[in-house]
Amino acid sequence: MMKKTLLLLAASVSCVLHGADAPLKPVFESDFEGGGGNAVSDRAASPLAGELRPGAVKTESPFGTAIRLEGRINNGARYPASSKLNLKSEFTVSVWFRLDALPASGAKGAGRSYTLLSLGNENWRACIDAAGRISVQNTAPGKEFFIWNSGPGAVSAGRWSHVAYTYSVSKGEYALFVDGVLKSVRKTSVDKKKIPPVPIENFSPLLIGSMPDYFPMKGEIACVRIYDRALSPQELDGAERDRMRKLLSFLASDAEKSGETSLAGLLRKNAADPSLSLKSLQDLQKEHQSRCGGKKGTAPGKA
């Protein structure tokens, strides 16, 4: 009986260690800090040494350091190909970004879309079009395309947004979240054979802010994290809560400068909420823009 009780206790401890309260450790994490000049850091284990490309500069954001991109081909940050990013069967990509404006409607060629992140031309490519639509692509051999699509209007200019996308062979699905809201979940590829998610080899450099020679970003990117498993919505909230609090504290300070003390109190109250979620951020940012955006000296959502 004692042996059985000990086994149950061990199982219980294991569940706690591997459950929702276990710390989430990304395999890649960059706040674009560290190093001098064009060097950018990876704060995860076995860190990759990155570099800024022409057209990208470090800037301040509510989260700390970010990179500002001018829409120049191949601008952004580049990290070398690595086995730790060859996540064939399971991953989550998480990105914070802000646009001054969406891509111009009717733009041609490389200017018709912005890229948040890519591994080569075919995989992990997350792009934003003129309609505020986010599309992500992962491509298996034989050109079986796994495409996440948010639909139009998912992204607006002038506010910080969070995008996360997951891919899981074991769960047989891939999903896209924008500001904590599930925008797309699929069980098969979109063309040809309609196969379920399969392992996809990829050993390409990681580009943040561009695809190779195409779709350069214009705006700001901050806080990129990559995990070696598909996170749940609750895990995403927990992983990004520190960033959410920094953003709300920044907006609260700006509201105070604008004389909007009640709004500042509301923002700080939400920042202190232990269950703060990504879903709540956009409404709070909209309220900030509505009440502070037209007042002298304010810069809503901008560092």
Side-chain angles (χ1 to χ4, degrees):
M1 184 68 179
M2 177 64 73
K3 183 176 181 180
K4 183 176 180 181
T5 301
L6 290 173
L7 287 172
L8 288 172
L9 285 171
S12 176
V13 170
S14 176
C15 286
V16 170
L17 290 175
H18 294 88
D21 293 331
L24 295 170
K25 293 184 178 180
V27 297
F28 175 89
E29 181 175 16
S30 183
D31 293 321
F32 306 109
E33 297 178 345
N38 289 329
V40 284
S41 63
D42 165 17
R43 298 196 289 116
S46 303
L48 302 178
E51 64 172 356
L52 293 185
R53 313 300 295 277
V57 295
K58 295 180 184 180
T59 187
E60 288 302 307
S61 78
F63 312 102
T65 303
I67 52 174
R68 182 155 188 88
L69 309 162
E70 62 181 26
R72 182 173 171 181
I73 294 293
N74 290 323
N75 67 190
R78 183 185 187 277
Y79 294 83
S82 168
S83 58
K84 78 171 187 172
L85 293 182
N86 187 20
L87 303 175
K88 300 183 287 289
S89 300
E90 195 103 0
F91 62 80
T92 298
V93 176
S94 167
V95 185
W96 288 91
F97 68 96
R98 181 185 178 278
L99 306 177
D100 294 329
L102 291 167
S105 180
K108 305 295 183 182
R112 71 178 186 270
S113 189
Y114 294 154
T115 300
L116 295 176
L117 181 146
S118 67
L119 274 182
N121 280 314
E122 295 289 342
N123 293 318
W124 295 24
R125 50 187 278 188
C127 299
I128 304 166
D129 68 13
R133 179 188 293 106
I134 297 179
S135 298
V136 185
Q137 179 178 314
N138 210 25
T139 308
K143 295 297 182 182
E144 287 294 330
F145 299 108
F146 297 90
I147 295 178
W148 302 251
N149 191 318
S150 70
V155 174
S156 299
R159 295 192 294 270
W160 283 97
S161 296
H162 178 265
V163 168
Y165 47 99
T166 66
Y167 184 86
S168 176
V169 172
S170 63
K171 294 178 181 178
E173 68 178 33
Y174 53 111
L176 170 64
F177 301 86
V178 181
D179 297 318
V181 178
L182 179 63
K183 294 292 186 178
S184 174
V185 59
R186 285 179 168 167
K187 304 286 187 180
T188 67
S189 58
V190 299
D191 294 320
K192 299 181 180 179
K193 298 179 181 178
K194 304 286 186 184
I195 62 174
V198 296
I200 299 173
E201 289 274 358
N202 195 300
F203 200 74
S204 300
L206 171 66
L207 298 180
I208 298 171
S210 184
M211 284 172 54
D213 304 317
Y214 229 73
F215 293 166
M217 171 80 167
K218 191 172 183 180
E220 297 168 71
I221 296 179
C223 310
V224 177
R225 287 169 168 167
I226 298 170
Y227 301 86
D228 60 1
R229 62 187 179 89
L231 302 189
S232 68
Q234 295 75 22
E235 288 174 319
L236 283 170
D237 281 338
E240 297 302 327
R241 200 161 278 133
D242 56 339
R243 268 60 176 180
M244 290 187 265
R245 288 179 175 140
K246 287 181 179 180
L247 177 57
L248 291 180
S249 294
F250 171 85
L251 296 177
S253 295
D254 187 68
E256 281 184 339
K257 293 175 185 176
S258 302
E260 294 285 352
T261 55
S262 62
L263 175 60
L266 174 66
L267 293 168
R268 289 205 167 95
K269 180 180 179 180
N270 276 272
D273 185 347
S275 61
L276 177 65
S277 68
L278 287 160
K279 290 181 181 179
S280 67
L281 282 185
Q282 286 307 308
D283 284 342
L284 291 168
Q285 287 195 85
K286 287 176 184 177
E287 184 68 14
H288 175 270
Q289 278 188 309
S290 173
R291 292 167 65 173
C292 303
K295 297 187 178 182
K296 184 177 180 180
T298 64
K302 186 175 179 180

